[in-house]
Amino acid sequence: MRTGIATVCLSGTLKEKMQACAIAGFDGIEIFEQDLVTSPLTPEDVRKMAADLGLTLDLYQPFRDFDSVSEDLLAANLRRAEAKFKLMARLGMDTVLVCSNVATAGIDSDDLRVEQLGQLAALAGDHGVKAAYEALAWGKYVNDYEHAHKLVEAVDHPNLGTCLDSFHILSRNWDTAPIEAFNPDKIFFVQVADAPKLSMDVLSWSRHYRVFPGEGQFELAKFMGHVVRAGYSGPVSLEIFNDVFRQSDVERTAVDAMRSLIWLEEQSAKWLDAASDGETGTGAAGTRAPGRRRYPMELATLPQVAEPAGYNFAEVRAADTKGLETVLGQLGFEFNGRHRTKDVQLWSLGHARVIINEAAPADGDDSTVGTSAGDASPATAPAIGALGFDVASPVIAAARAQQLKAPAVPRKSQANEEVFQGFAAPDSTEIFLCQGTSDGTAAWTSEFGEGLEKPAAGPSAVIDHVNLAQPWQHFDEAVLFYTSALALEPQPFAEVPSPTGLVRSQIMATGDRAVRLVLNLAPLNQQRRTYQEHIAFAVDDLVATARDCKARGLEFLQIPANYYEDLDARFGLVPDFLATLQELNLLYDRDADGEFLHFYTATVGSVFFEMVERRAAYDGYGAPNAPVRHAVQYDHLQHR
């Protein structure tokens, strides 16, 4: 699949955008008119620079408000078009995007549009240019891609075709199946964009909230599947209008964009396979039916991996580890010693393992799993630095992540030490892939102290979920990253009230919920590394665990009495049980599937811990209790 991106997607100058696109690995670009108009580069400069960078110049855009106009305005539009065609010749470009009229259209007549588009096509032919006509979702008379295609077919000129843009099609909920019947020679260009499903006018939605594929809720794989089946083989190009992307680092955004197309290519191939299986069936033992059709556009796939089987460990970095050691001990974790060659500690409770990174230098050389990439100086206050996941094949999973542009994280290993496959997530948390075992043990624990061949005796516990704060400019990038690289599925997001505003919370999880990762959008006035994050551990009996923790002197997050009055009003709990909850500062939730008990520790640096008990099939996180936690933590932060 030939990949492309419109320069409007990125921040910076035209030169910076082109360089970033080349670094990210794009095949070509669309030149957005404003980027050229405001650039000191001449068209000849841009043409040479593209050639030097190995980029093709695929589309000049946009040419607006051409059709459905009076004769005098048509003459002006043709004069404007000829000027652009001459400019394109200097750029060495042969395709221009022509948008359906939204501003000056005054005559609703398909016959007139066919006549006027015919004149444009003839003029384009004279200049060796092709015009790709696109139905804007808010077009005055033409806002349906099938309508636009019918006009193109009626003109019947080799220099006029259509542009299919996923946003303009899917935002209007148009059926994409008719694309398959289009003459592929008349599909001149394909643009893709994803978006969250919002209730607002489509123009504002388009101009501010488009995102890269995999970061929204559109069925892009289905859209692309129909495009491929139609026989299209040209560029698949991103056209994203997004306020955040236009303010973010240009090279990083370009890499995120390229990752999204790699992911989309794979998802489209899977959709085509599934659709073909549904039509032709599969043979014995799941083998494919013979004679599977090949298409002009070849779609590449990535190394296939299963979703993670669970958390292997969580790492917290801290220059001063005393506070963390105290809290983990009070929670019932056992100290399993220091690493034999690195300045790190291992603490465990059942199958829940926490590594405390004592040194955490900026280059990461002396860490068990490295320090967070991008931190300019060593961490001081405790912060979550890395997560380990159990996977069936760490090498294959790491190869997939690297093909998805995830930067590798090196880790020095000496003889007889576990070799971890690692890469950095968008928020700089380091992700390590570990060989899972059927009994939940980890071979690398033998590198600490006397070693742990089996989990320590004591309460059964696992890491239930981890909550990570995300920088505002990389939130969508993180969702795509964990979806594509770790096969986690995004769940419906929620917005939780806090004293500093609404906190957007995006849950990522495996199908069996063995891994639950919660991404929170950190408030703008707080840096990611000072915003509170936490690790939650699941136990079988939270009340007994809480009593043991209290006996060890654990400082619980103090829950106000008003909460328990409200809890009683909502659920009508047995008085003795309600009294126990209040005595131990436990929070409670219940739904049709089960019950949820949990408590929080005080915060150490930017990290706190949570203990949870899930009863029956409860699958949530105690969302009604989140505002209480935020308010208490905020009050504590203000008065400490």
Side-chain angles (χ1 to χ4, degrees), residues 264-591:
L264 178 59
E265 185 173 8
E266 178 185 53
Q267 297 303 304
S268 301
K270 289 182 177 179
W271 186 91
L272 283 168
D273 281 347
S276 296
D277 288 343
E279 293 168 359
T280 63
T282 54
T287 58
R288 294 179 179 178
R292 176 68 53 84
R293 180 181 171 187
R294 293 180 63 87
Y295 302 100
M297 181 186 293
E298 295 187 4
L299 299 176
T301 56
L302 301 168
Q304 297 301 296
V305 296
E307 59 188 16
Y311 282 100
N312 189 283
F313 67 85
E315 180 195 276
V316 181
R317 305 186 332 269
D320 183 352
T321 65
K322 292 180 181 178
L324 285 173
E325 294 171 20
T326 298
V327 171
L328 287 174
Q330 291 168 339
L331 286 172
F333 279 74
E334 291 190 9
F335 173 60
N336 304 128
R338 287 180 168 79
H339 194 273
R340 61 192 181 207
T341 63
K342 299 174 173 62
D343 293 329
V344 294
Q345 307 174 20
L346 173 62
W347 293 72
S348 66
L349 178 67
H351 291 304
R353 290 179 284 269
V354 176
I355 291 173
I356 299 180
N357 179 339
E358 297 176 322
D363 61 10
D365 284 348
D366 295 326
S367 164
T368 291
V369 291
T371 57
S372 294
D375 285 353
S377 59
T380 53
I384 296 174
L387 299 174
F389 295 94
D390 286 329
V391 297
S393 177
V395 173
I396 294 177
R400 175 184 175 87
Q402 288 170 16
Q403 288 187 41
L404 285 160
K405 306 291 183 177
V409 172
R411 172 188 180 263
K412 283 186 176 179
S413 297
Q414 297 190 16
N416 300 317
E417 291 182 358
E418 189 82 3
V419 177
F420 286 142
Q421 303 290 327
F423 48 88
D427 67 352
S428 77
T429 301
E430 293 177 345
I431 304 300
F432 286 86
L433 305 172
C434 310
Q435 187 69 59
T437 60
S438 59
D439 61 359
T441 59
W444 57 264
T445 58
S446 62
E447 299 169 20
F448 290 79
E450 296 300 319
L452 289 176
E453 304 223 346
K454 295 182 180 180
S460 172
V462 295
I463 296 177
D464 183 85
H465 63 274
V466 177
N467 185 308
L468 295 176
Q470 301 299 304
W472 65 271
Q473 68 272 42
H474 302 310
F475 188 84
D476 292 320
E477 179 186 357
V479 173
L480 172 61
F481 173 85
Y482 286 110
T483 299
S484 60
L486 277 180
L488 301 183
E489 286 295 324
Q491 311 302 307
F493 71 85
E495 291 183 331
V496 178
S498 81
T500 56
L502 288 177
V503 175
R504 182 179 177 186
S505 184
Q506 175 67 67
I507 297 166
M508 311 291 296
T510 54
D512 61 2
R513 301 301 191 265
V515 170
R516 307 168 189 256
L517 183 66
V518 183
L519 308 178
N520 279 355
L521 184 59
L524 289 176
N525 61 347
Q526 287 186 265
Q527 296 294 322
R528 184 250 166 179
R529 286 302 179 187
T530 62
Y531 184 69
Q532 295 174 343
E533 304 177 310
H534 77 272
I535 305 167
F537 308 103
V539 296
D540 293 334
D541 187 341
L542 189 73
V543 172
T545 299
R547 291 197 186 282
D548 290 342
C549 292
K550 184 177 180 181
R552 297 188 197 99
L554 178 69
E555 182 183 352
F556 292 76
L557 192 69
Q558 297 297 302
I559 307 303
N562 292 335
Y563 167 78
Y564 295 100
E565 290 187 21
D566 178 69
L567 202 62
D568 187 33
R570 285 191 290 133
F571 295 116
L573 300 176
V574 175
D576 287 349
F577 181 57
L578 182 65
T580 298
L581 294 178
Q582 186 165 5
E583 172 201 353
L584 297 172
N585 286 285
L586 305 186
L587 297 102
Y588 176 88
D589 189 32
R590 183 172 71 204
D591 62 18

